[in-house]
Amino acid sequence: MNPGTPSAASRSAKVETPASFQRWIRDYRGGDGVYDELLGLDAEVRPEWSRFLAQLTRLRPSDFEERWEQARKLIQENGVTYNVYGDPEAQERPWELDPLPLVLSAGEWSWLEDALIQRATLFEQLLADLYGERTLLDGNGLPPETVFANERFLRPCVGLPAWKNGRCLPFYAADVVRSPDGRWWVVSDRTQAPSGMGYALENRIVLGRMLPEVARECRLVRVAGFFEQLRESLAAAAPHATPQPHVVLLTPGPRNETYFEHAYLARYLGITLAEGEDLTVRDDRVYLKTLDGLRQVDVIWRRVDESFIDPLELRSESQLGVSGLLQAMRAGNVTVLNPPGSGLVEAPALMAFLPGLCRRLLGEPLKIPSVATWWCGQAKPRRHALAELDRLVVKHAFHKGAPVLFGRGIEAGSRAELAAAIEADPKAYVAQEEIPYSTAPVWENHGFHPRRVVMRVFLVAAEDGGFVAMPGGLTRVEGDAQKRPGISMQQGSGSKDSWVLSDREHEPQVPSIRSRYPITIRRSAAQYPSRVADNLFWSGRYAERSEFATRMLRSVIARLSSETGFGALNEVAPVWDLLVEFGHLLAPASRSEPAARGLEPLEENLRRAVFDQTQSGSLAELNQRLHRLGQVSRDSLSMDTWRIVRRLGECLKGGPPPRLAGLMPTLDLLVNLHAALSGLSQENTTRTPAWAFLELGRRLERALYAVDLALRLLESPEAVRRSSLDALLEVFDSGITYRQRYFFEPRLLPVLDTLLFDPTNPRSLAFQVENLDRHLAALPFEAREPYSTPSRAVIVQALAKLRTFDLGAKDPESERRICGEVLLLLRNLEPELSGVSEDLSLQYFSLLEPEQFAAEAAPR
C-alpha cells in the first residue's frame, strides 16, 4: 500500500445499499478483476457514492434524462468542441461528457492532493538542476543518456532566468489511475503545456446547471478558487512589478485540438488570446500587435509546443512561435509559462528514477508512485523487460506521441522483432507494467454501465512556493472498447466531471486572494490584436453578405413559387442579375432561358444556392465562412452572439425541401437570425475598437450591395425598372417606410431616395456612409490626426455628395437627367468604396511600431 493512502478498510467500509438505489443500479456490475469506483467487493455502494446517490435518487430517471438532454443542448449551444487530427468530419467534434461524475471523498482527495504537490515540487527542482548545474548527472542520480538523448532537452534554454530565480514549473498535471487493490498510480506526467483544465471547468458548469441540488446537498468542493489562484499566479509571474501586467495566452490557432479551451480560458480569465503572428520582438521585448500600435507583453501562457516557440533558435520551420522570444526571456523582459524545455521531465524513462531522485532532492520517499517502469538503457532492467515482454507495455523512452505496444497483443514473430529493436537501441525504449484501470459508472441506454477511467489532476504554482490543486480534475472515460481501445480523446473517448465531496458542514465558496493595488479604472481596451480586428471586420462583411443574399433569394423564390411563375422574373430582374453576377446563384444570365428549358433546372439551382456547401457564394457556404470566423474570434464574442453565429452555420446542414415554396420558412428563419445578430451587435456589445471593425465590415458590405443593386436597376430597361421596384423595396426591408411617405405605387426617384439618399433609413446607402464616417473617425490614426487616411477622405466626399444630391424632377426629361447623374455617381462610388477595405488592411492589420512610438509614426 502506498504510504498515506486511505486504508482498505476506509475505502471498503460497508454501507448497506438502500432500496431506493436499486432502480438506478440494479443491473450495474463492476468490471472483472478491476477496482470499481461505485461498488465494493461485497457489491455494496461505497460511502462517498452513497452520499451522491442519496441525492440523485430523489429524481426520477425520466427527469434525469430530460435534464441530461438539456445539458447536451447546452454543450452544443456553447460550441464546446475537441478537434480530431486527420479527420475532416471531426474537426469540430462536440465535446463528450457523461452526466455521472467521478466521486471522491474528502479524505482520499486530501491524500492525493498532498502526494501530487510533492510530485510537482520534485519536478520543479529536477528541472532547475538539469537546466542549471546538472549535479544529478554525477552517476548517482540520472544516467546522462536520459537527458542528452531526449529531444525535449532544449540546449538553447539552458541558463534561462526561469531555472534560477523563477518558478520552473508554474503548471503541472498528472494522469492518475487506480489499480485493482485500490491504490493510486501516476501513468503520465504533464509538464510541457498541460491541457484540459478549461474542459474541466466547462464540465463543472454544465453539471452544476444539470444537478444543482445534488451538488449543493453533497457539499461539492468548488473549483472557482483554483481559477482565482491561476489568475493570481499569472499576474505574479510578470518579470517587473506592475499593478496590471499584460498577460497573453499563446495558442497555435483554431486547428489545434484544444483551441476551444484556449479561447474559453482567455475569455474566462480576462486575458488576451494571441497567435504567433500577433507577437513580435523588438529590442529584446515582446509586443502584441494591437490596433493602436504594439503593446509590451509581460507574461505569455504558452499553449504552443515548446520546440515551436522560437523559430530563430529552435525549429526553424515553425510558423507558430515568435522569433527572438528566447532572447527576450534571457534579457528578463518577459516570462513564459511553462518555460520552454520543461517537457524534458515528461519522458517515460525518468519514471524509473523518480523514487531515488525524490529521496535525494526532497529527503523523503515518493508518496504516489509511477507505474512500474524499466528503462532499457540499463542492463538489468533491459533483461527483465525482455524476459517479461509478453505481459508488459513497451513505449518510446522519450517520445510521448510514439506508438504504444502491448506485449499481450503482439504475435510471437512481431515480439521477436520488437526485442531485436530494443537490443539495437536500448536507450530508446522503456517497458512498463500494464495496470488494469478502475471502472466507474456512465449513463448509457437509460442506466449505469461500467467504463474504465483515468483522471487528470491540475496544479498551479502559488506565490508562497507551494502548489494549489484543482479539486477533482478532468476524468476521461474509455469509448467503445471494441472500436476504440485505450483512453484517448483523439480516439473518441469521453469525459466526466470529478467531484470531491467535502466533509465540512459549510464549504467555503471562494478563498480570499490577495488584491492588487492600485486599482485603475479603464473604459477602453487597447489589447485587441490586429488579427482579431481583421477577423471581426470580415465577420461583419460575411454576415451582411449572407443576409443580403438571403433577402434577395427570398424575394426571387417568393415570386417564382407564386401563380405567376416565370412571369415574375421581370419583377426581380435587378435582383436576379446581382445574384448571378456575385455567384450566389448558378443560373443563366439570360432570364429567357429558364422559360425555354422549364422551371425544374432553375428550382434545382435555387435549392443549391441555399443548401449547397460546396458552391461558392451559396448561403450554406457563406454561413460556414461566418461560422469559421466566429470560431477564431470566440474570445471576443459574447455567448449569445456565438450561439447565433453557430446556428447560422449549422441550420443549413440538412437537405432542401422537395417544393420550391418549402424554402421560404428556412429563409425567414435566416433573416430572423441575422436580425438577432445585428441586434446583439447594436445593443449588447461594448463600443470598443474591435466592435468598430465589426460594424465597419457590416456597413461597408451593405453599402456595396446597395450601390450594386441600384446600378443593376438603373442599367435595366425602363419597363423592367417599373416592375422591379417593389422587389427592391422588399430586399431593402423598406416597403413600409416608402408607403408611409408616398400614397402611390412605387416610382423610380422616390424609391432611389429611400434606398440611397435617405439618412434616416437604416438600410439606405447614406445611412451606411454616415456610419462608416463615424466609425473611421474613432479609429486610432484618425483620432490622432483627423482626415489623414485615404479611406476617411473617400467616405467624407461620398457623404457630401449624398447629402447634397437633389432628386426633385419636374418632367420626364429632368427625371432621365437625374437618373443619369445618379448612375454616374454610383459608378464612381463603387471602386472607391471597394478601396476602403484595402486601406483599412494596410492601416490597421499589420502594425509595426511600439505603442510608445505609435503617436510619432507617420500615418498612411
Side-chain angles (χ1 to χ4, degrees):
M1 181 183 298
N2 299 341
T5 303
S7 66
S10 66
R11 291 196 308 270
S12 305
K14 186 172 182 178
V15 176
E16 186 175 349
T17 303
S20 61
F21 294 3
Q22 291 304 318
R23 63 177 177 176
W24 292 79
I25 66 172
R26 62 175 175 266
D27 297 325
Y28 182 83
R29 301 292 183 271
D32 294 333
V34 300
Y35 184 95
D36 187 71
E37 301 290 338
L38 173 62
L39 300 179
L41 295 177
D42 54 5
E44 297 292 342
V45 176
R46 300 187 189 276
E48 61 272 18
W49 281 88
S50 290
R51 287 175 58 184
F52 171 75
L53 288 175
Q55 303 303 323
L56 183 66
T57 52
R58 294 183 179 183
L59 299 173
R60 292 178 300 178
S62 59
D63 293 338
F64 179 83
E65 290 204 328
E66 182 180 349
R67 292 189 184 192
W68 173 224
E69 185 61 31
Q70 293 172 352
R72 294 175 66 181
K73 290 180 179 178
L74 179 63
I75 293 173
Q76 187 177 21
E77 289 178 358
N78 289 351
V80 188
T81 58
Y82 182 90
N83 297 337
V84 177
Y85 293 139
D87 185 355
E89 296 182 359
Q91 274 294 304
E92 300 169 15
R93 180 166 67 87
W95 180 248
E96 296 290 340
L97 172 64
D98 183 68
L100 300 175
L102 178 68
V103 180
L104 300 173
S105 67
E108 189 160 35
W109 169 251
S110 178
W111 178 88
L112 189 59
E113 178 183 35
D114 182 62
L116 291 176
I117 288 175
Q118 181 210 48
R119 196 175 181 95
T121 305
L122 171 62
F123 280 126
E124 187 167 47
Q125 295 193 20
L126 182 58
L127 281 169
D129 182 84
L130 296 180
Y131 280 101
E133 298 180 357
R134 293 196 282 276
T135 61
L136 296 174
L137 304 183
D138 59 4
N140 297 317
L142 277 174
E145 297 93 331
T146 61
V147 176
F148 298 127
N150 189 347
E151 68 176 11
R152 290 290 185 183
F153 179 66
L154 305 182
R155 288 166 176 79
C157 297
V158 173
L160 288 176
W163 314 124
K164 301 176 182 178
N165 50 25
R167 296 304 302 267
C168 302
L169 194 62
F171 302 107
Y172 168 71
D175 291 335
V176 298
V177 300
R178 208 196 294 262
S179 59
D181 60 1
R183 293 189 295 173
W184 288 102
W185 300 76
V186 175
V187 294
S188 180
D189 296 289
R190 303 288 171 170
T191 59
Q192 201 256 121
S195 64
M197 63 179 70
Y199 289 107
L201 176 60
E202 178 68 13
N203 286 355
R204 176 60 55 88
I205 290 173
V206 171
L207 253 64
R209 291 187 181 181
M210 178 184 170
L211 302 171
E213 68 275 50
V214 177
R216 183 171 55 252
E217 295 301 323
C218 286
R219 299 196 295 274
L220 173 63
V221 179
R222 298 184 61 188
V223 299
F226 172 83
F227 287 96
E228 288 294 330
Q229 179 62 62
L230 172 60
R231 184 185 286 111
E232 185 71 13
S233 297
L234 288 170
H240 306 293
T242 175
Q244 292 187 328
H246 186 197
V247 182
V248 303
L249 191 157
L250 181 60
T251 174
R255 293 187 179 274
N256 183 260
E257 59 185 346
T258 58
Y259 180 76
F260 163 81
E261 178 181 57
H262 304 167
Y264 184 77
L265 287 172
R267 184 171 62 243
Y268 182 84
L269 297 172
I271 60 179
T272 304
L273 183 67
E275 296 181 24
E277 65 184 40
D278 299 329
L279 303 175
T280 186
V281 175
R282 298 298 168 87
D283 299 326
D284 294 341
R285 288 176 169 80
V286 181
Y287 294 96
L288 175 72
K289 302 173 188 177
T290 74
L291 297 175
D292 204 22
L294 300 189
R295 183 183 177 198
Q296 186 170 349
V297 174
D298 301 302
V299 179
I300 296 176
W301 183 4
R302 177 181 60 82
R303 296 302 294 270
V304 173
D305 186 282
E306 57 191 358
S307 61
F308 289 87
I309 199 71
D310 186 347
L312 195 62
E313 299 193 47
L314 298 171
R315 296 186 63 163
S316 59
E317 74 274 17
S318 170
Q319 297 181 359
L320 304 176
V322 186
S323 296
L325 179 59
L326 290 183
Q327 181 56 36
M329 293 179 65
R330 294 189 192 101
N333 293 322
V334 68
T335 301
V336 178
L337 312 175
N338 284 347
S342 55
L344 170 66
V345 294
E346 285 188 353
L350 292 185
M351 286 185 166
F353 304 94
L354 290 182
L357 292 172
C358 189
R359 291 188 183 92
R360 179 168 175 175
L361 292 174
L362 303 183
E364 58 188 25
L366 190 64
K367 294 180 180 179
I368 182 170
S370 310
V371 59
T373 302
W374 294 269
W375 178 55
C376 296
Q378 294 176 316
K380 185 177 179 180
R382 180 168 66 255
R383 287 194 298 269
H384 175 83
L386 292 173
E388 303 289 338
L389 201 57
D390 59 338
R391 68 175 188 86
L392 297 178
V393 179
V394 178
K395 299 179 180 179
H396 197 285
F398 309 117
H399 303 163
K400 278 204 165 185
V404 177
L405 303 175
F406 291 82
R408 57 177 169 80
I410 304 177
E411 296 181 356
S414 299
R415 196 179 303 141
E417 293 178 1
L418 176 60
I422 293 174
E423 291 283 12
D425 188 12
K427 68 178 183 300
Y429 293 92
V430 297
Q432 293 182 331
E433 182 182 3
E434 183 178 358
I435 296 180
Y437 295 0
S438 65
T439 57
V442 299
W443 185 258
E444 187 177 90
N445 296 326
H446 313 291
F448 285 31
H449 297 272
R451 286 287 184 273
R452 295 187 306 143
V453 294
V454 57
M455 182 170 66
R456 179 169 295 182
V457 182
F458 303 94
L459 291 87
V460 60
E463 290 185 75
D464 61 3
F467 287 86
V468 174
M470 178 193 299
L474 176 67
T475 297
R476 289 173 292 156
V477 186
E478 70 172 337
D480 188 329
Q482 295 178 347
K483 298 179 181 178
R484 302 183 180 95
I487 301 180
S488 168
M489 305 307 293
Q490 280 293 314
Q491 296 177 7
S493 297
S495 72
K496 280 179 172 289
D497 192 11
S498 308
W499 284 18
V500 176
L501 307 188
S502 174
D503 54 7
R504 291 182 287 185
E505 190 65 32
H506 299 288
E507 180 65 25
Q509 296 302 299
V510 179
S512 60
I513 298 293
R514 179 173 63 84
S515 299
R516 292 185 171 270
Y517 293 95
I519 297 175
T520 303
I521 303 299
R522 295 186 178 184
R523 291 180 179 170
S524 63
Q527 298 184 17
Y528 290 99
S530 53
R531 173 187 52 83
V532 172
D534 191 5
N535 288 335
L536 290 175
F537 174 74
W538 282 100
S539 294
R541 293 201 66 173
Y542 275 110
E544 189 60 34
R545 190 173 300 179
S546 174
E547 181 180 355
F548 222 99
T550 302
R551 290 181 177 276
M552 289 192 293
L553 283 167
R554 185 174 66 167
S555 178
V556 170
I557 291 171
R559 285 161 175 78
L560 289 179
S561 58
S562 67
E563 69 279 2
T564 54
F566 289 121
L569 285 179
N570 279 339
E571 298 177 18
V572 289
V575 178
W576 169 283
D577 292 341
L578 196 61
L579 283 169
V580 173
E581 182 175 341
F582 281 16
H584 302 307
L585 177 63
L586 298 181
S590 170
R591 290 181 297 278
S592 61
E593 187 174 336
R597 298 175 56 194
L599 191 59
E600 186 174 340
L602 177 58
E603 289 185 353
E604 178 60 26
N605 280 346
L606 286 169
R607 293 189 188 94
R608 292 185 60 192
V610 177
F611 284 94
D612 190 350
Q613 298 185 36
T614 65
Q615 177 181 315
S616 177
S618 72
L619 297 188
E621 193 265 345
L622 290 174
N623 288 349
Q624 280 299 308
R625 287 179 179 267
L626 176 61
H627 185 235
R628 287 194 292 269
L629 284 166
Q631 284 183 311
V632 299
S633 308
R634 282 290 301 270
D635 59 315
S636 301
L637 302 178
S638 70
M639 186 56 68
D640 289 335
T641 301
W642 163 250
R643 286 171 178 164
I644 296 297
V645 171
R646 185 195 63 80
R647 287 194 66 189
L648 282 167
E650 295 183 356
C651 68
L652 293 177
K653 289 187 175 180
R659 295 179 60 250
L660 190 63
L663 293 173
M664 292 302 293
T666 299
L667 296 174
D668 290 339
L669 172 63
L670 289 174
V671 168
N672 290 338
L673 288 174
H674 279 294
L677 185 61
S678 180
L680 286 169
S681 172
Q682 293 300 315
E683 301 298 333
N684 291 43
T685 308
T686 305
R687 271 40 178 173
T688 63
W691 172 81
F693 275 96
L694 179 66
E695 279 294 293
L696 281 168
R698 289 192 72 101
R699 301 302 175 183
L700 180 60
E701 193 73 14
R702 189 176 293 182
L704 285 168
Y705 267 94
V707 169
D708 286 319
L709 199 50
L711 281 172
R712 301 305 170 275
L713 174 68
L714 292 171
E715 291 169 350
S716 301
E718 185 173 349
V720 172
R721 290 184 193 175
R722 289 196 301 270
S723 62
S724 58
L725 294 178
D726 261 324
L728 262 67
L729 288 171
E730 178 185 313
V731 169
F732 278 83
D733 197 20
S734 300
I736 293 178
T737 300
Y738 183 90
R739 286 172 177 79
Q740 287 178 341
R741 296 174 178 177
Y742 305 100
F743 298 99
F744 45 78
E745 65 180 10
R747 302 278 295 275
L748 181 59
L749 292 183
V751 168
L752 288 176
D753 181 71
T754 303
L755 305 186
L756 299 179
F757 299 97
D758 181 3
T760 65
N761 179 8
R763 291 276 167 183
S764 74
L765 173 62
F767 190 91
Q768 314 317 312
V769 175
E770 281 192 354
N771 278 270
L772 286 170
D773 182 54
R774 186 173 72 254
H775 295 318
L776 287 172
L779 295 182
F781 283 145
E782 281 292 328
R784 287 193 291 267
E785 189 175 345
Y787 305 104
S788 60
T789 60
S791 54
R792 183 80 189 284
V794 166
I795 294 302
V796 168
Q797 293 173 12
L799 186 58
K801 293 176 183 178
L802 292 171
R803 284 175 172 173
T804 58
F805 203 96
D806 184 10
L807 285 176
K810 299 179 180 179
D811 51 49
E813 183 62 30
S814 61
E815 181 176 1
R816 285 191 292 271
R817 175 183 55 80
I818 291 172
C819 288
E821 293 173 354
V822 174
L823 186 62
L824 180 62
L825 171 66
L826 296 177
R827 285 174 176 170
N828 292 332
L829 190 56
E830 184 181 30
E832 292 177 346
L833 287 175
S834 298
V836 170
S837 178
E838 181 179 354
D839 187 59
L840 288 173
S841 298
L842 294 174
Q843 287 285 342
Y844 294 103
F845 302 153
S846 181
L847 300 177
L848 298 176
E849 294 297 322
E851 58 183 342
Q852 57 263 44
F853 304 124
E856 302 173 7
R860 180 178 180 276

